[in-house]
Amino acid sequence: MSVIAFAKNWNGKFKNSTFELVSYTKALANQLNTNMVVLSIGEVAEEELKLLGNYGADKVLTVSNPQLNTLTSRAYADIVAKAANSVEAEVIVLSDNNSGKAIAPRVSVKLKAGHVAAVQELPLSLDPFVVKKSVFSGKAFGHIQIKSDKKILTIAKNCFGLVANPCDVAIEEFALDIDTNLFKVKIIQEEEQKDKVILSDADIVVSAGRGMRSPENWTPVEELAEVLGAATACSRPVSDEGWRGHEEHVGQTGKVIAPNLYIAAGISGAIQHVAGISRSKCIVAINTDPEAPIFSVADYGIVGDVMDVLPRLTKALRNSKS
Amino acid sequence: MKILVCISNVPDTTTKVKFKEGDSLFDDSGVQWIINPWDELALTRAMELKEDAGNSVNEICVIHVGGASADATLRKALAIGADKAVRIDACPADAYHVAGQIAEYLKENPFDIILSGIESSDYNGSSVGAMIAEFMDYPGISSVTSVNLDDDDIQINRAIPGGKQVLKTEAPFVAVVQKGIATEPRIPSMRGIMMARKKPLEVKPAVELEVLTESIKFELPQEKGACKMIDSESAEQLVELLKNEAKVL
Ligand SMILES: Cc1cc2nc3c(=O)[nH]c(=O)nc-3n(C[C@H](O)[C@H](O)[C@H](O)COP(=O)(O)OP(=O)(O)OC[C@H]3O[C@@H](n4cnc5c(N)ncnc54)[C@H](O)[C@@H]3O)c2cc1C
C-alpha cells in the first residue's frame, strides 16, 4: 500500500502549489502509516525533481518522455492510473488546478476510485474515509465519505501550506508504452503572458469593480498591484463590459481564488462575487458606501473614493519599502 | 452534427443555504432552482452554433440526471432553444454516478459534441464532463473558453494559466466549458416558452451503478470577525496592520 501524488510541472518547473501538494500527501501518508510516491510526467531536470525532497518526497517516479511535455489529459490520466496501480496506491492526490480537474475524474473512472475535488484539509477520519470540501460555492462545507477502496482527491490551493521535511530523493524512471491514440487533440497555437503575475497562483490580488467607473481609470489598480507584486482581478460586470479580460473575472462564475491578501476596490461584495474570494486569508475593502456588503466579509475596510485611496496606499507601500 | 448539453439543476445563486436532519441534508424548502450558470452559457453557445449556417449542427439536446422536480428547469432549456430534453430518472448521487448514467445514454444515442459546465454550483465537483469523456473513451478538453466550427472543422480555445491555447480535435469529444464560452445567457422568449410545451422531454430509467462517495454532513463556515475600519487618510496605518497584525505583506 502507498499514497501517490501527481506533481505537475510548468515548462519543467514546479510551483509552490506542487510543494504544498507534496507536503499534504506526506502528512496523509503518515496518517495512514504508509509511504508516499511522487509522480512527475514530462521532462524535468534532476535538480528540480530533487526539490520535491524538501517536502518529504523520498521516491519520485518520472516519465520523462518529451511527447508528454504538454498536458494531454487522456494520456496523463492513463499514466497516473498505471503508476498508482504499480505502487498499489490507496489514495491518489492531485492539486485542484486546471490539470488536476482534467485528470482526476478520468483516473476516478479508470480505477473506480471515489473522487472528491477541492479538499480543504487532511481527512477528518480514515475509517470511514471522510474528507471536507467547500460546497454551494463557498457558502458551506460538506463532509464527504469515500466508500471505494481506492480514493482520489484534489486539494484546494493554500489549504495546507508548505511543510519542510528534507529527504534524500530516489528518482526512478517509470517505463511504460504510451498509446499514441490518446493524442487526438492537437495544439495549434499557444500564447502566454510572461510578464504578468498569474491570478490563480498569486499570493496577493488587487481586484476592482464597477466603482472604478470607467476602464480608463485602471492605472491606480495596476500601480498598486505592481508595488505589491500582485495579480489584478475584477468583478463580473467589469469583464462583461469588456473593461478587463475574462481571465480576470473572479467569483462564482469566474475564478475561485484563495490568496493571502485580497484587496477589493469599488466592489459591492455581491454574494456571487464573495463566493470566489471567501477563502482569502485577509480581505481589504475600499468603498464609498459604508453599508456595502463587502465590509461584512472584509478584515480591514476603508470608506473612501478608490481614486484617492488607491494612490495613497501605493505611496505608503513604496515608502515602507524604501 | 448533434450537440448534447449536460444540465445541472442548482439552487439560485442568491440562495441562503440551510441544512436539515442534523445537518446531513440540504434543506431545499423555498429554494428557487435554476440551470447551472455555466450549463446555461454552454446551451447558449450551442444555440449560436446551430444558428450559424456555416456548419451542420442540426440538433441540440439537453440531458439531466435527477428527479421530476427538475422538469421545470429542463422546460426552460427547451424554451431557450434546445430541441429535445432527456431526464435520466435517478437521484444524482455523485459525479461518477451522474457521468455513468449519461455515458450509458450516449452509447445508445451518439452525439458529436458534448458540452458540460466546469462545475455545478451546488457540490462544486467539477468532474462530470471529464468522467463522461473517460467512460466513453473520448477526448476531453477542459477550461474551454470557445468552441468554433468552420465547415465542421472543430477549433477550440482553452484557458491556461496566464494565457490561452488554440486546439483542434475530432468529433466526438467532450468540452468542459467556462467563462467566455458565450457572453450573456439567453433568456427564453414568449414564443420559445410556447414552443417548449410541444418539444419532447423524454424520461429514461436509470441503470444500476455503484455510488462511490456520499455527503454525510454539512457545516456552515465560521462567522467572520468584525471588519476593522481605517480612516481613508491613513493608508500608512493599513500598511502597518497588514504587515504586523495580519502578517500578509
Ligand atoms: C448567476 C450569477 C452569477 C454571478 N457571478 C458573479 C461572479 O462570478 N463574480 C462577480 O463579481 N459577480 C457575479 N455576479 C454579479 C453580482 O451579483 C454583482 O452584480 C457584481 O458582483 C457587482 O459588481 P461590482 O461590485 O463591481 O459592481 P456594483 O455592485 O455596481 O458595485 C460597485 C461598488 O462600488 C462602490 N463605488 C462606487 N464608486 C466608488 C468610488 N469612487 N470609490 C469607491 N467605491 C465606489 C459602490 O458603493 C458599490 O458598492 C453574478 C450574478 C448572477 C445573477
Side-chain angles (χ1 to χ4, degrees), chain A residues 51-64:
Chain A
L51 295 178
L52 300 169
N54 295 342
Y55 304 92
D58 49 13
K59 183 172 173 189
V60 173
L61 293 180
T62 157
V63 185
S64 56

Side-chain angles (χ1 to χ4, degrees), chain B:
Chain B
M1 269 201 172
K2 292 166 68 180
I3 304 180
L4 183 70
V5 182
C6 304
I7 298 275
S8 176
N9 183 37
V10 299
D12 177 80
T13 51
T14 55
T15 307
K16 275 223 172 339
V17 301
K18 295 179 299 234
F19 302 100
K20 60 182 183 186
E21 295 183 22
D23 285 338
S24 68
L25 277 182
F26 175 61
D27 183 353
D28 61 1
S29 56
V31 168
Q32 282 272 8
W33 295 89
I34 59 166
I35 303 178
N36 184 43
W38 292 281
D39 304 348
E40 198 175 24
L41 290 174
L43 174 58
T44 301
R45 184 62 194 149
M47 297 297 308
E48 291 166 359
L49 289 172
K50 188 179 163 200
E51 284 155 10
D52 179 353
N55 57 62
S56 67
V57 175
N58 52 10
E59 186 188 313
I60 297 168
C61 176
V62 292
I63 188 164
H64 171 72
V65 179
S69 59
D71 285 352
T73 297
L74 289 173
R75 285 276 171 221
K76 182 175 171 204
L78 292 171
I80 290 172
D83 299 299
K84 175 180 165 184
V86 174
R87 177 167 63 80
I88 316 278
D89 195 22
C91 174
D94 69 355
Y96 181 88
H97 184 253
V98 168
Q101 300 292 347
I102 294 175
E104 284 302 317
Y105 179 81
L106 272 172
K107 283 176 193 160
E108 302 293 314
N109 306 274
F111 281 80
D112 303 288
I113 301 178
I114 297 112
L115 302 179
S116 146
I118 183 162
E119 65 175 29
S120 69
S121 61
D122 48 3
Y123 293 98
N124 310 112
S126 45
S127 21
V128 168
M131 283 185 180
I132 295 172
E134 185 61 38
F135 273 116
M136 299 304 293
D137 204 14
Y138 288 171
I141 305 169
S142 57
S143 315
V144 171
T145 55
S146 84
V147 176
N148 293 304
L149 299 176
D150 182 11
D151 244 354
D152 297 345
D153 209 21
I154 302 160
Q155 187 173 312
I156 288 182
N157 287 3
R158 161 168 201 269
I160 54 171
K164 70 168 193 183
Q165 283 176 340
V166 183
L167 309 168
K168 276 205 185 304
T169 188
E170 297 161 22
F173 69 96
V174 179
V176 178
V177 308
Q178 64 184 42
K179 173 83 196 249
I181 185 74
T183 325
E184 278 285 322
R186 293 233 177 141
I187 297 165
S189 64
M190 217 37 226
R191 184 157 170 270
I193 295 169
M194 302 291 287
M195 302 228 312
R197 295 195 191 133
K198 298 199 196 82
K199 289 181 179 171
L201 193 169
E202 268 176 39
V203 180
K204 298 259 178 194
V207 291
E208 208 44 58
L209 258 183
E210 252 174 279
V211 174
L212 305 180
T213 67
E214 188 187 356
S215 304
I216 52 175
K217 191 175 175 267
F218 295 97
E219 60 180 275
L220 294 173
Q222 281 181 336
E223 290 279 328
K224 261 224 139 140
C227 178
K228 205 174 243 184
M229 300 308 291
I230 292 141
D231 189 86
S232 71
E233 305 285 330
S234 321
E236 294 75 18
Q237 192 197 345
L238 177 60
V239 172
E240 163 70 24
L241 287 167
L242 293 176
K243 266 193 182 153
N244 299 322
E245 189 177 78
K247 298 192 170 36
V248 289
L249 288 184

